[in-house]
Amino acid sequence: MALSFDEYSSYDALGLAELVRTGQSTAVELLDAALARLEAVDGKLNAVVHRHEAWARKRAAGPQSGPFAGVPFLTKNLEQQIAGWPHDSGSRALRNQVSPFTSPTIARWLAAGLVPFGQTNSPEFGSKGITEPELHGPTRNPWDTERSPGGSSGGSASAVAAGVVPAAGASDGGGSIRIPASWSGLFGLKPGRGLLPEAPASPEPFHGYATQGVLSRSVRDSAALLDAAIAAEPSGSYLSALPQRPLLQEVGADPGTLRIGFSDFSPLRPDGASTEAATAMTTAAHLAESLGHAVEEAKPQINWTELTESFVTLWTAKAAYNLAELARLGVDVSEVEVDNRILAAMGSSVSAADLFRARQCWHEQTVALTKFFEKYDLFLTPTTAEAPPKIGSLNTSATLKALSKLVLGLRGSRLFSISNIPREVIMKNYRIVPYTQLANVTGRPAMSVPLHWTDTGLPIGSQFIGPLGSEPRLIRLAAQFEAAQPWKDRRPAL
């Protein structure tokens, strides 16, 4: 049957798969509905930067199998590759690149039956918590098109929030699943380190900081999509302990009485989170308490300043490596955005000793968080420190860009290392998203749940971080929240 948008959007991904499985609809009809919605809204949102309708139609017309057979899907235009598709990572320097292989996680989702038909917008190299690359332009938030949906998985978040697809590919190296989940009214779970291995395509991404995942409207979709991607990879860096049973089976299971500590402290925010973000956190705390959980104000004994500094050390060193590798491959790195060249210039001054010192800091913070989890089952914070920012509000000023270009033209990496230019660029972005990096540094799973909307109708999420292997616990709690305060059918007026 042909589906109207209201019919199509009333189902989550598993619900759409059930329509195909029972013969109530077909993969082609679902794809038609997704493409029609994309055509209706993407002129306002700019969520999808590459479309592959012919490729998707051929797949949808073929035999369907797997738990998500026939379900329309979108992949992120960053490290989620399909052989033969473009893969520019949001950069003008790579605008003619075509992927020679399919990423391991995407291969697993294809095996589960998904029908990808496009690639979603991402900031260049995923380096910001907003999605405004110069190559493709800014992605806009369906809840308020003057604002950002977050990043780096902003295109995916915008498309899911607008009802183009029920779930979309995302990844998280410093909050890139949870930040857009917070600002787009979605559920986003960052799995723990190593649970979704990327080998043999690449070594452990970003020293283990980064992982693949999804953004979705329903908890059960995220659970089932992670189930499809979780794997034991012999060529990986290590073998993670896999969940004892599918995460989908945790949806609806009793989470028990959880001990939850909460705090909105961050050295980048001396006065705490904004009123809206603090309200989102306390809303989650009160809801958890009403459901029988033990909730109190508490925070781990993390050295937050050192954690931030060590994260910046790795981030800039990786930027320096990325640009050096691109140059080695013959790419014109002068076409890379100025902000990323600033980060790379700063990273070029990072020494081997700096990296080892940062790694030691990560271990110390991991130990501190582990001690916190001896008393508490979960740590609750705001996901983001503010409501969604206005498009362009985090841009580097024209004056600073001009100065940066001048210094870069003089090959002034040393000048950058002793100036405030890189710090201004970095901290301008980090001050609104200071809570998510802890889970990346320590490798712990973390989720953002959409329990609060501001008086002006903007979503802002709450983050829960758990110990190693607590993905089942997080799913059980998220499903309990979803049942108590449903969000799946809450839609922007777009």
Side-chain angles (χ1 to χ4, degrees), residues 14-37:
L14 287 171
L16 292 177
E18 179 68 8
L19 293 181
V20 175
R21 189 186 67 80
T22 58
Q24 298 177 66
S25 190
T26 68
V28 171
E29 289 168 339
L30 298 187
L31 180 60
D32 285 340
L35 288 167
R37 182 59 176 172

Side-chain angles (χ1 to χ4, degrees), residues 28 74 103 130 153 157 173 191 196 225 272 350 352 403 428 459:
V28 171
L74 294 166
S103 302
I130 54 174
S153 307
L196 273 64
L225 284 162
V350 173
L403 176 61
K428 187 175 183 179

Side-chain angles (χ1 to χ4, degrees), residues 411-430:
R411 300 183 180 275
S413 297
R414 175 59 182 164
L415 291 178
F416 273 105
S417 69
I418 61 175
S419 75
N420 287 324
I421 292 176
R423 182 158 298 278
E424 181 175 337
V425 171
I426 293 169
M427 293 308 169
K428 187 175 183 179
N429 284 270
Y430 278 6

